[in-house]
Amino acid sequence: RSWHDKAGPLLLSGCSNRLASEDAQVRAAAVSALAASTGSRPEEEDRESADAAMAAALKSLEDLSVDVRRVALRTLAHVAAPGNAAAVHSAARLLTDRAWPVRWAAIDAVAWLAQGGSPGTVRLAVEVLAVRLEDVDWPVRMAAAIGLNNLLQFLAAIADEIKSDGPDSELQVGKMDDVLDQMELLLDPLLKMLQDPAKEVKQAA
């Protein structure tokens, strides 16, 4: 059995107790430890631990503490399966959080989790991240610029993979059309980044 198979349940049990603590720092540490209960991009046999960690992270997204919500987003991005639409939607809800560090973490989570998702999930990610380019805090706008660029690179890699698959088939053409449509959605946001008053955002573009 792997280390995660042996230690994962114990870590989850310990985290569950600490997540109920009245101390926000203890809760934040517990949420962070959830990521250690499962490997990054867990295999099928580790999915049960990952699902339990994901459920705990989702619950912590509603915590009153800024640090707990921020760490919960990082953990969610680590334990949720690639392209998990429910995780993307949950993270996206915190894109309007009152605390900019939470909005930043939400951007990173949405951009990461959307990779490998359905066309609809990727489209949602592009749309909600583009809105954050208007955020009042430049670190959030910079994070959105980086996230959108990462999605563009992901889509470009998918397009290259489709092209390398061989002769065009109806299925491949359909996939390529979806990818090109999603890439087109990124054009306006990319142009907007270049007009941002903060040099850090322009550099991210």
Side-chain angles (χ1 to χ4, degrees):
R1 298 178 69 194
S2 70
W3 178 88
H4 286 298
D5 287 336
K6 296 176 181 177
L10 293 175
L11 283 170
L12 282 171
S13 177
C15 289
S16 297
N17 294 329
R18 287 185 289 153
L19 284 171
S21 171
E22 294 183 359
D23 188 329
Q25 290 186 333
V26 173
R27 297 197 305 275
V31 175
S32 180
L34 288 172
S37 69
T38 178
S40 180
R41 298 311 192 215
E43 300 298 330
E44 188 62 35
E45 60 271 14
D46 198 29
R47 196 66 250 167
E48 185 176 348
S49 292
D51 288 344
M54 178 176 164
L58 288 171
K59 184 176 181 180
S60 295
L61 294 180
E62 302 173 4
D63 198 280
L64 295 177
S65 166
V66 170
D67 281 341
V68 174
R69 296 196 302 277
R70 177 182 58 81
V71 174
L73 284 161
R74 303 294 186 197
T75 297
L76 179 64
H78 182 86
V79 302
N84 186 310
V88 171
H89 279 272
S90 295
R93 284 200 291 269
L94 272 71
L95 287 169
T96 56
D97 193 276
R98 66 182 183 276
W100 71 260
V102 176
R103 298 198 300 276
W104 185 342
I107 286 169
D108 290 346
V110 168
W112 174 253
L113 290 169
Q115 297 181 38
S118 68
T121 298
V122 175
R123 188 174 297 109
L124 169 70
V126 171
E127 291 172 353
V128 297
L129 293 183
V131 173
R132 287 300 99 204
L133 292 174
E134 304 284 353
D135 199 280
V136 296
D137 293 294
W138 72 259
V140 178
R141 299 198 304 275
M142 180 184 69
I146 293 172
L148 288 165
N149 260 326
N150 288 342
L151 279 175
L152 179 62
Q153 293 174 23
F154 166 73
L155 292 171
I158 293 296
D160 288 342
E161 184 177 330
I162 294 173
K163 289 178 184 177
S164 67
D165 277 346
D168 289 340
S169 68
E170 187 173 336
L171 179 60
Q172 287 173 318
V173 170
K175 287 182 179 178
M176 181 62 81
D177 287 344
D178 283 337
V179 170
L180 293 177
D181 286 345
Q182 293 165 51
M183 293 178 76
E184 187 175 352
L185 285 174
L186 285 161
L187 293 180
D188 286 342
L190 287 171
L191 291 174
K192 186 176 293 184
M193 297 177 207
L194 298 174
Q195 299 169 359
D196 195 278
K199 65 179 181 179
E200 293 86 355
V201 179
K202 292 178 182 177
Q203 291 170 351

